[in-house]
Amino acid sequence: MITKDGNPSCATASAIDGHIELSISSRQLCADVARLQLSPSAAGALRHGPGQYLDVLFADGQRRSFSIANAPCEHGTIELHVRLGADGGATRKRVMEMQVGDRVKVAGPFGTLHDALADALASPPETTIVLIAGGTGYAALRAVAAEVLQALPARPVYFYWGARSRGQHYDEVTMRQWQQQFPGFTYVPVVSDDDSGEDARPGVPHAAALQDHADLSNHHVFLCGPMRMTEAASAALLAAGLPAARLHQDAPQISRCVP
């Protein structure tokens, strides 16, 4: 159950018809992104790994996939970042009709980025981890970053978050806090469609990453975002010398993590 102020209780989840039923609350993060906070409500918590995603089964029968934005936590709460305007407003209508305490069925978790993360964490301490996100693909890589910083707080981590405008960097407070808290963490906002000002890079996030990392031989790179972005980023990173085994993206998730 989620309380009206969004604080999770320590309830658990129940399996129904092969899915999981969770209590829900929502809050709009910016003009076209909302946060859905799911809390277990009966017996048996939903287990997930950083970088995975869930399918949400809406009351009207529609099924949509959303990345999990938080690393696994003791109380089992799950945070999803939902882009509201990508399907003609249908998702916006479904989300806005939800009430605090409503229950929703989800299926999953799905995806294999957490397996790739385990390999990256086992790399030598000087290995750099680069996270390149577009839009709400940020959610999956936010969870990956949280896991890295918890396990290896001194590990060099660079987070490049691409958006069309500065207003779409809807969770920048978290990024700035982590940058202050963890000396190895660097956050780089990138914008493509407006004047970035002095605190963001212009262009696309993988180009910004390549400006900072000319030698990628000792890096692990994680991608999540729109298909067009991840395809362009993959090609550019491999052409720049990134070993293919160190480029991590969850193919089924790529087209689903920015709904």
Side-chain angles (χ1 to χ4, degrees), residues 26-35 84 92 95-96 170:
S26 65
R27 181 171 71 85
Q28 199 153 344
L29 298 174
C30 68
D32 63 349
V33 177
R35 180 187 71 182
L84 299 175
R92 178 184 296 273
V95 170
M96 294 308 168
Y170 53 82

Side-chain angles (χ1 to χ4, degrees), residues 75-95:
H75 48 63
T77 298
I78 291 172
E79 180 176 333
L80 308 177
H81 296 172
V82 179
R83 189 172 179 184
L84 299 175
D87 55 359
T91 296
R92 178 184 296 273
K93 183 175 184 294
R94 295 184 189 109
V95 170

Side-chain angles (χ1 to χ4, degrees), residues 16 23 31 41 66 93 109 120 133-134 139 144 148 189 200 219 227 236 258:
I16 298 179
S23 295
S41 54
F66 304 110
K93 183 175 184 294
V144 169
V148 174
H219 291 56
M227 179 72 78
V258 183

Side-chain angles (χ1 to χ4, degrees), residues 151-175:
L152 298 170
R155 176 65 60 97
V157 178
Y158 289 79
F159 200 120
Y160 297 85
W161 185 7
R164 291 191 177 94
S165 68
R166 288 295 280 129
Q168 292 179 330
H169 292 120
Y170 53 82
D171 191 36
E172 190 155 279
V173 170
T174 297
M175 294 287 98

Side-chain angles (χ1 to χ4, degrees), residues 25 47 53 56 91 93 96 101 114 116 131 141-142 153 160 180 185-186 194 214 216 223 235 246 254-255:
S25 73
R47 308 281 180 192
Y53 62 93
V56 175
T91 296
K93 183 175 184 294
M96 294 308 168
H114 62 298
L131 309 173
L141 299 190
R142 177 184 187 257
Y160 297 85
Q180 292 181 356
F185 182 78
T186 301
D194 69 358
L216 295 168
L223 298 175
R246 291 182 171 226
I254 292 171
S255 62

Side-chain angles (χ1 to χ4, degrees), residues 55-181:
D55 282 357
V56 175
L57 288 72
F58 289 100
D60 62 2
Q62 295 299 308
R63 179 172 178 146
R64 300 296 305 279
S65 300
F66 304 110
S67 295
I68 301 171
N70 60 296
C73 56
E74 182 179 353
H75 48 63
T77 298
I78 291 172
E79 180 176 333
L80 308 177
H81 296 172
V82 179
R83 189 172 179 184
L84 299 175
D87 55 359
T91 296
R92 178 184 296 273
K93 183 175 184 294
R94 295 184 189 109
V95 170
M96 294 308 168
E97 287 176 349
M98 292 177 174
Q99 302 295 320
V100 174
D102 283 354
R103 293 188 176 184
V104 63
K105 289 182 180 180
V106 300
F110 305 108
T112 59
L113 280 184
H114 62 298
D115 294 327
L117 177 59
D119 292 338
L121 291 176
S123 300
E126 65 274 12
T127 303
T128 298
I129 295 176
V130 176
L131 309 173
I132 302 176
T136 50
Y138 164 81
L141 299 190
R142 177 184 187 257
V144 169
E147 185 76 3
V148 174
L149 295 174
Q150 179 178 354
L152 298 170
R155 176 65 60 97
V157 178
Y158 289 79
F159 200 120
Y160 297 85
W161 185 7
R164 291 191 177 94
S165 68
R166 288 295 280 129
Q168 292 179 330
H169 292 120
Y170 53 82
D171 191 36
E172 190 155 279
V173 170
T174 297
M175 294 287 98
R176 299 296 185 189
Q177 287 176 342
W178 288 357
Q179 190 161 246
Q180 292 181 356
Q181 183 177 358

Side-chain angles (χ1 to χ4, degrees), residues 192-212:
S192 61
D193 289 358
D194 69 358
D195 182 4
S196 62
E198 297 181 356
D199 62 343
R201 303 263 192 98
V204 292
H206 71 267
L210 287 170
Q211 289 175 355
D212 297 341

